[in-house]
Amino acid sequence: MVYSIPRDSLAEMADDHGGNIQKINAAYEIGKAKMAKKTVSQFLGLPIDYSVTVDMGALKELVDFVGGIYHRYGD
């Protein structure tokens, strides 16, 4: 399954302190992928088996490599 969680959703951070409620996207900044995965798992009430981190610079390079994306205005 794939879920899309709005980045501004409030969630309790899965840290050792408890009660630390922030926007869910803060979990990655606080504890990188491990904390983000644990926080999302707690938020959804589901185990997270796999996760993917996308480097936006690398994504741009990939799109450029396969020919880019073009949008023609005024058509």
Side-chain angles (χ1 to χ4, degrees):
M1 283 191 162
V2 175
Y3 289 91
S4 177
I5 301 169
R7 61 188 305 251
D8 290 339
S9 298
L10 293 178
E12 183 173 352
M13 300 294 107
D15 56 16
D16 297 333
H17 308 295
N20 181 10
I21 298 174
Q22 297 190 44
K23 292 179 182 179
I24 201 160
N25 62 320
Y28 187 84
E29 186 63 33
I30 294 168
K32 303 299 176 208
K34 184 176 180 180
M35 169 82 128
K37 188 174 173 180
K38 193 172 176 183
T39 298
V40 170
S41 178
Q42 181 177 292
F43 179 77
L44 294 176
L46 299 169
I48 304 294
D49 297 319
Y50 303 97
S51 64
V52 176
T53 302
V54 178
D55 178 291
M56 296 311 287
L59 179 61
K60 180 187 179 307
E61 289 177 21
L62 175 64
V63 169
D64 291 345
F65 179 78
V66 297
I69 298 173
Y70 299 95
H71 185 280
R72 293 171 46 185
Y73 294 95
D75 287 341

